């Protein structure tokens, strides 16, 4: 059986994509999404020829990734605006919902300083506005503790008027003046525009151009009716006149592969050409299987003096303004979003910056040791008991020992070598495709009680009452599948694989690291389990976990059961840009 796709073919394709996006005399061709994988609500700006974008992260941590690019196609992860517990003490663990946390942000630059304004949903005090500042967006540490501000509605924009006053516009669409030092906002909010009648007028961004204030918003909700509409006024506070050709961007009512297009931001390149980024879902009109959720797409914009902007419809293959020349010379030690992971976790190295957790991890849960990346198990398994307030140690709120990276390709291969010597029944470590605590597909190595009919115990464990098993299970699938770990695998690490069988299915497999060809396919699951439902705002992550499945007390597992990861590999094997085309 062969379910590895050809990595070398992928590399050749990548090379051709890169060269077609390179310097050209006329307009350029490129492929969407430019920021593939779970990247919703992009907001972007350009400073001295470098583009900066931020996207939503909900309860994953670190949150609010900042990506930088010089060519609009190669996006490097340069920092996270929310990167330390001390920036918002206690907030992460006190957030119950799977889709609360850091909602849509706006990134702006003014007077040598970067600002990321956002809202954190679901604290015990309700939702709070957060404003992070930095003089160096290439550094995590340089992002300030946030100035917090009271909020009524989500999706804050940040806008400076010519008189230097600063405003925040939010869903509704309403406007308030904001004090950037204290977070004080003016009351009452001023209603600017209610949109053209679609539900949820939100995601506002204000721009001033040619004597007009332009108010661009998202409407119709973030699913199949999503759209971008615009209005303008000579005065900031209105009245705003809606454009007669609204919506200016949408794929609703079409049979396009890219659906849910909306919630965008506009910016200029160094040559003065306008561009926009928005979110889109590669779901096709069926809207059934789209595990990567909402991704970030780039579109050219024509915006002539005194006129309304014209946004080019979002497709997989785009043609528009000449892209800036290909240039990956960007500071910082984060990876480019579309690059493969090749991580060996050598002692003394840092945990790679594109790996994220589900809420703030417990102190010491993840560390790079001489044996690889050590994961101290959590009492919570990946499901825990979400939304429980009575047993918070099993809600995942006080730490879930999970670490993962975005699925950034329709087709991919992920594997990691696991060294794991559990001592107690129920101790487990493995790999997972994870959307939320109620949507995940797992392949764990777990110590189980040996049942009388068990045929899988090893000779050396023949007298033992336990046996080590490979257990495949998925939230949403009624049955799990358990296969004994063959005896000859027990001496070294086990290589666990997650691969796409095709655009709609994942295969989860295992092999002894020493003999990769002895691979066993343990389970197959539909990516439909990872699409929408309880995880409609988020996108799939692939990664590893360790748990004692609720044993122990408080937040501590019984002794043993640490997992050690080495040879972490992720590589893309194909991007669908339409129902039938793969690049
Ligand atoms: C988080 O919850 C704990 C207990 O539930 C409480 O003591 C703490 O003050 C809360 N932190 C915040 C920031 O609300
Ligand atoms: C928007 O709708 C609200 C509620 O109906 C109304 O109070 C407000 O005046 C409207 N705003 C505008 C600008 O029309
Ligand atoms: C803009 O506001 C000023 C007062 O601030 C007012 O005189 C003017 O009429 C307004 N213009 C429009 C188009 O509403
Ligand atoms: C180049 O791209 C811009 C922006 O999309 C578009 O307005 C223009 O028509 C294109 N020019 C050609 C020659 O295709
Ligand atoms: C073991 O026996 C039980 C009960 O007869 C049965 O349900 C189960 O499938 C058996 N397991 C294996 C691995 O044969
Ligand atoms: C995708 O892979 C799954 C699992 O191997 C298989 O059941 C399904 O038929 C495949 N779909 C297509 C369209 O080939
Ligand atoms: C998940 O979705 C199902 C179906 O909509 C719902 O019944 C369930 O309560 C949700 N679970 C959580 C944890 O939100
Ligand atoms: C996950 O842990 C809970 C206890 O926290 C337990 O009830 C549940 O059975 C565990 N799930 C699995 C598949 O072991």
């Amino acid at each position: 059986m062969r379910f590895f796709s050809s990595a070398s073919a992928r590399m050749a394709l990548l090379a051709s994509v890169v060269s077609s996006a390179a310097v050209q005399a006329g307009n350029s061709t490129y492929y969407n999404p430019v920021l593939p994988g779970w990247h919703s609500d992009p907001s972007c700006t350009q400073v001295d020829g470098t583009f900066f974008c931020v996207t939503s992260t909900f309860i994953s941590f670190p949150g609010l990734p900042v990506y930088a690019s010089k060519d609009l196609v190669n996006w490097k992860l340069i920092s996270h605006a929310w990167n330390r517990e001390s920036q918002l003490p206690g907030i992460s663990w006190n957030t119950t919902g799977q889709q609360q946390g850091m909602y849509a942000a706006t990134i702006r630059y003014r007077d040598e300083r970067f600002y990321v304004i956002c809202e954190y949903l679901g604290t015990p005090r309700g939702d709070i506005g957060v404003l992070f500042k930095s003089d160096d967006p290439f550094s995590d540490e340089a992002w300030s503790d946030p100035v917090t501000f009271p909020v009524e509605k989500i999706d804050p924009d940040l806008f400076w008027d010519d008189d230097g006053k600063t405003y925040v516009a939010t869903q509704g669409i309403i406007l308030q003046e904001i004090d950037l030092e204290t977070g004080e906002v003016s009351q009452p909010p001023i209603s600017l525009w209610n949109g053209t009648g679609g539900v949820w007028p939100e995601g506002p961004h204000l721009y001033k151009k040619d004597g007009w204030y332009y108010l661009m918003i998202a409407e119709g909700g973030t699913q199949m009716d999503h759209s971008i509409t615009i209005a303008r006024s000579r005065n900031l506070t209105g009245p705003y006149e809606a454009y007669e050709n609204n919506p200016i961007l949408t794929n609703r009512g079409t049979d396009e592969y890219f659906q849910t297009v909306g919630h965008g931001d506009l910016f200029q390149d160094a040559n003065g050409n306008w561009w926009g980024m928005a979110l889109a879902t590669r779901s096709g009109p069926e809207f059934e299987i789209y595990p990567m959720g909402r991704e970030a797409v780039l579109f050219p914009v024509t915006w002539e003096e005194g006129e309304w902007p014209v946004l080019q419809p979002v497709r997989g293959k785009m043609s528009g303004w000449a892209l800036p020349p290909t240039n990956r010379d960007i500071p910082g030690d984060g990876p480019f979003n579309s690059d493969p992971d090749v991580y060996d976790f050598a002692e003394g190295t840092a945990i790679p910056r594109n790996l994220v957790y589900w809420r703030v991890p417990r102190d010491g849960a993840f560390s790079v040791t001489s044996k690889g990346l050590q994961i101290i198990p959590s009492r919570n398994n990946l499901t825990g008991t979400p939304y429980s307030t009575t047993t918070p140690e099993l809600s995942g709120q006080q730490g879930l020992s999970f670490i993962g990276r975005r699925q950034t390709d329709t087709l991919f291969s992920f594997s990691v070598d696991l060294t794991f010597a559990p001592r107690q029944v129920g101790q487990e470590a493995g790999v997972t495709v994870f959307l939320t605590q109620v949507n995940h597909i797992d392949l764990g190595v777990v110590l189980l009680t040996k049942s009388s009919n068990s045929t899988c115990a090893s000779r050396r464990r023949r007298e033992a009452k336990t046996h080590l098993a490979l257990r495949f299970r998925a939230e949403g699938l009624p049955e799990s599948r358990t296969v004994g770990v063959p005896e000859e695998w027990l001496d070294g690490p086990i290589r666990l694989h997650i691969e796409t069988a095709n655009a709609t299915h994942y295969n989860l497999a295992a092999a002894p690291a020493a003999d990769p060809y002895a691979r066993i396919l343990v389970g197959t699951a539909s990516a439909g389990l990872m699409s929408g439902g309880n995880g409609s705002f988020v996108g799939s992550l692939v990664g590893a976990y360790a748990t004692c499945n609720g044993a122990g007390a408080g937040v501590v597992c019984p002794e043993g059961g640490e997992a050690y990861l080495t040879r972490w590999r992720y590589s893309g094997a194909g991007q669908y840009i339409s129902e039938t085309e793969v690049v």
Side-chain angles (χ1 to χ4, degrees):
M1 131 166 297
R2 182 182 157 80
F3 48 81
F4 271 113
S5 303
S6 159
S8 56
R10 166 72 177 151
M11 284 307 176
L13 280 163
L14 261 181
S16 71
V17 171
V18 168
S19 65
S20 73
V23 121
Q24 281 179 11
N27 281 2
S28 303
T29 295
Y30 65 91
Y31 296 103
N32 270 322
V34 292
L35 205 45
W38 170 31
H39 289 109
S40 62
D41 316 310
S43 170
C44 309
T45 190
Q46 180 260 122
V47 180
D48 295 336
T50 301
F51 303 89
F52 297 88
C53 294
V54 66
T55 59
S56 297
T57 41
F58 301 87
I59 63 170
S60 67
F61 180 87
L64 301 178
V66 180
Y67 293 92
S69 177
K70 288 184 174 167
D71 56 23
L72 289 168
V73 169
N74 291 285
W75 290 92
K76 185 172 183 171
L77 176 60
I78 57 164
S79 62
H80 285 92
W82 183 38
N83 58 72
R84 19 181 224 281
E85 164 69 7
S86 61
Q87 286 172 302
L88 285 165
I91 287 289
S92 173
W93 285 0
N94 282 345
T95 306
T96 56
Q98 295 293 302
Q99 304 208 89
Q100 296 181 313
M102 289 293 182
Y103 266 53
T106 295
I107 187 167
R108 293 290 182 260
Y109 175 81
R110 175 148 176 122
D111 295 341
E112 322 259 293
R113 179 160 288 185
F114 286 82
Y115 296 83
V116 168
I117 191 168
C118 190
E119 275 176 35
Y120 191 96
L121 270 61
T123 83
R125 290 183 282 145
D127 305 339
I128 53 171
V130 287
L131 174 63
F132 301 89
K133 307 173 191 177
S134 173
D135 297 337
D136 177 8
F138 297 93
S139 152
D140 274 356
E141 295 70 34
W143 285 105
S144 69
D145 292 348
V147 171
T148 62
F149 59 96
V151 294
E152 302 186 29
K153 296 290 173 69
I154 58 170
D155 298 355
D157 178 54
L158 194 59
F159 176 77
W160 282 266
D161 204 353
D162 295 337
D163 60 8
K165 287 187 179 169
T166 315
Y167 295 86
V168 55
T170 52
Q171 186 187 55
I173 304 295
I174 56 174
L175 183 77
Q176 289 165 289
E177 194 179 341
I178 184 169
D179 182 323
L180 296 177
E181 301 308 317
T182 64
E184 195 184 338
V185 291
S186 63
Q187 297 291 354
I190 297 166
S191 171
L192 294 186
W193 189 39
N194 286 325
T196 64
V199 295
W200 303 117
E202 60 192 8
H205 291 300
L206 280 160
Y207 312 95
K208 188 160 191 200
K209 187 174 183 294
D210 313 324
W212 291 100
Y213 294 89
Y214 287 86
L215 174 58
M216 191 174 88
I217 72 169
E219 272 190 69
T222 193
Q223 300 200 340
M224 299 296 274
D225 286 339
H226 213 199
S227 66
I228 293 181
T229 58
I230 195 163
R232 70 181 182 182
S233 174
R234 290 288 184 189
N235 281 353
L236 176 61
T237 54
Y240 280 82
E241 164 209 352
Y243 181 36
E244 60 183 4
N245 292 331
N246 275 324
I248 54 173
L249 191 71
T250 189
N251 275 358
R252 78 176 161 222
T254 69
D255 59 2
E256 290 300 325
Y257 184 58
F258 286 73
Q259 290 287 334
T260 80
V261 175
H263 201 128
D265 197 3
L266 306 180
F267 49 92
Q268 280 173 289
D269 65 23
N271 292 328
N273 289 324
W274 285 87
W275 298 86
M277 288 273 263
L279 71 79
T281 310
R282 284 184 279 170
S283 60
E286 304 83 15
F287 204 55
E288 280 163 7
I289 298 191
Y290 47 95
M292 290 179 282
R294 301 173 302 164
E295 307 175 274
V297 291
L298 175 74
F299 50 89
V301 176
T302 308
W303 200 351
E304 297 191 344
E305 190 175 345
E307 302 294 327
W308 297 91
V310 178
L311 282 51
Q312 194 179 115
V314 170
R315 301 289 183 264
K317 186 175 181 184
M318 301 288 290
S319 172
W321 307 122
L323 290 164
T326 299
N327 184 345
R328 287 167 57 108
D329 182 15
I330 292 174
D333 53 8
F336 282 87
N337 183 63
S338 296
D339 280 0
D341 288 349
V342 180
Y343 299 147
D344 292 321
F345 304 120
E347 192 168 18
T349 58
I351 294 177
R353 302 175 72 110
N354 61 328
L355 304 190
V356 300
Y357 310 99
W358 206 242
R359 302 197 180 89
V360 168
R362 281 170 26 78
D363 267 349
F366 299 89
S367 54
V368 181
T369 70
S370 59
K371 295 197 278 183
L373 176 63
Q374 175 186 263
I375 310 182
I376 305 285
S378 53
R379 288 192 70 207
N380 301 287
N381 53 32
L382 291 174
T383 306
T385 50
Y387 300 0
S388 163
T389 50
T390 50
T391 55
E393 75 278 8
L394 290 179
S395 66
Q397 285 170 244
Q398 293 191 22
L400 199 64
S401 289
F402 160 72
I403 183 167
R405 59 108 69 215
R406 286 170 178 76
Q407 177 185 345
T408 48
D409 303 83
T410 319
L411 304 177
F412 70 91
S413 161
F414 169 73
S415 71
V416 67
D417 287 1
L418 170 72
T419 300
F420 181 57
R423 293 193 217 160
Q424 304 216 18
V425 167
Q427 290 179 336
E428 175 177 353
V431 292
T432 180
V433 193
F434 184 96
L435 189 69
T436 71
Q437 288 177 244
V438 290
N439 311 71
H440 50 91
I441 303 165
D442 317 330
L443 174 57
V445 177
V446 58
L447 193 66
L448 296 177
T449 305
K450 199 201 272 185
S451 63
S452 53
N453 58 359
S454 168
T455 54
C456 42
S458 68
R459 264 194 299 281
R460 95 184 58 163
R461 286 182 183 264
R462 187 160 288 160
E463 306 313 318
K465 294 190 166 52
T466 59
H467 76 108
L468 202 57
L470 295 163
R471 182 167 63 189
F472 166 81
R473 64 169 199 265
E475 285 292 333
L477 286 186
E479 311 212 332
S480 65
R481 178 164 180 239
T482 302
V483 177
V485 175
E487 177 203 350
E488 47 300 356
W489 294 23
L490 294 173
D491 290 326
I494 294 178
R495 183 162 300 166
L496 298 173
H497 296 267
I498 302 173
E499 284 151 1
T500 42
N502 49 42
T504 60
H505 285 76
Y506 299 107
N507 283 332
L508 285 78
D515 183 11
Y517 294 102
R519 184 166 53 224
I520 301 173
L521 173 62
V522 190
T524 294
S526 167
L529 296 172
M530 308 296 292
S531 305
N534 300 83
S536 57
F537 290 167
V538 295
S540 48
L541 302 168
V542 293
Y545 65 94
T547 178
C548 58
N549 279 304
V555 294
V556 185
C557 279
E559 229 174 288
E562 298 82 20
Y564 295 92
L565 307 180
T566 51
R567 200 184 177 281
W568 169 295
R569 300 287 185 270
Y570 171 97
S571 62
Q575 286 295 11
Y576 275 69
I577 58 162
S578 74
E579 308 264 4
T580 52
E581 295 163 283
V582 186
V583 296

